Amino acid sequence: MTDEAMRDYLPAVEGEGTIIELGAGSDYYKKFAQQTQKYLTSNLVPGFDMQLDMTKLDIPDNSAAALISVFAMEHLFEYEAAIKEQYRALVPGGRMLLIVPFMYYYHAAPDDFFRFSASALDRLLAPFKVLVRQPIGGRWLLFAEFLHEKKVMGSRKGFFARLALRCLAMPFLAKALRQHDARYALCFAYLCEKK
């Protein structure tokens, strides 16, 4: 469903300027952009197009055309500073696509601090003009997620036990597709514009 959000909202941040993905885990989301779109990945650690600290962006004021942050904000203890930095760095009329978890499992990278409700995001993003406020997922997807054992998250269940749980989750997953509910959302997507 995060991929669907990227397909739906990435065109709204594309344009002549460069898109900078903040807190990228890889270049996975770059594939959703048009081939002609300038798109840079960044992270605090080396190995990306840019090495940036989201709480102290090394980007001049009013210079970034578009910023994207997908499942990165929860890994920052100083998330408010990161939001302020994104606002500072964007050109007037520049856009930001933010996707953050709400009812989502713990996933340290290197740590995992926060979950964001829609009401918290509305307040945090008040300086921006919010163009889209989209909950992603709902009750049935949340239930399916409970049954999805992840080896990467430390599951000690064997292959067949994990497979059985995934099969058990399938009816709930099928019911969940395209049903979004802010009360039980796994995450939220916000498309914002600097005023």
Side-chain angles (χ1 to χ4, degrees):
M1 288 187 170
T2 305
D3 290 0
E4 284 297 316
M6 288 299 285
R7 284 187 197 96
D8 290 346
Y9 305 123
L10 189 60
V13 298
E14 291 180 325
E16 291 181 23
T18 301
I19 295 172
I20 301 172
E21 183 180 343
L22 302 170
S26 68
D27 64 352
Y28 177 78
Y29 292 113
K30 189 175 187 174
K31 72 180 180 183
F32 292 99
Q34 293 180 29
Q35 296 234 341
T36 56
Q37 177 65 52
K38 295 176 192 160
Y39 189 110
L40 299 173
T41 59
S42 74
N43 199 305
L44 187 59
V45 298
F48 296 86
D49 298 319
M50 303 173 77
Q51 193 170 348
L52 293 173
D53 178 345
M54 289 175 68
T55 64
K56 297 178 207 122
L57 292 174
D58 189 15
I59 299 173
D61 293 357
N62 304 307
S63 65
L67 301 172
I68 294 175
S69 175
V70 182
F71 278 88
M73 201 67 65
E74 69 274 17
H75 302 293
L76 302 173
F77 194 76
E78 297 173 332
Y79 62 87
E80 288 178 275
I83 296 288
K84 288 176 183 173
E85 277 294 278
Q86 290 175 63
Y87 191 85
R88 178 196 61 76
L90 280 170
V91 297
R95 292 190 172 173
M96 172 183 72
L97 176 58
L98 178 67
I99 301 177
V100 294
F102 180 43
M103 293 189 176
Y104 197 73
Y105 65 89
Y106 177 85
H107 57 286
D111 214 333
D112 186 356
F113 297 108
F114 299 104
R115 296 295 176 270
F116 301 89
S117 67
S119 54
L121 290 164
D122 290 344
R123 289 183 69 176
L124 280 168
L125 300 171
F128 293 89
K129 178 181 179 183
V130 175
L131 305 174
V132 174
R133 175 187 187 252
Q134 174 67 54
I136 299 175
R139 182 187 314 246
W140 297 112
L141 184 60
L142 181 62
F143 192 74
E145 189 69 22
F146 284 139
L147 296 169
H148 186 186
E149 287 283 327
K150 298 167 182 72
K151 197 171 182 181
V152 70
M153 292 305 301
S155 174
R156 293 190 176 99
K157 292 183 175 26
F159 171 79
F160 291 108
R162 287 195 317 274
L163 182 62
L165 285 170
R166 285 185 182 185
C167 289
L168 186 61
M170 290 306 282
F172 301 106
L173 186 58
K175 188 168 178 64
L177 298 177
R178 296 277 180 201
Q179 289 186 0
H180 304 291
D181 182 348
R183 295 168 302 163
Y184 298 100
L186 264 66
C187 59
F188 288 97
Y190 273 69
L191 177 62
C192 304
E193 185 175 275
K194 183 173 180 177
K195 295 177 183 175

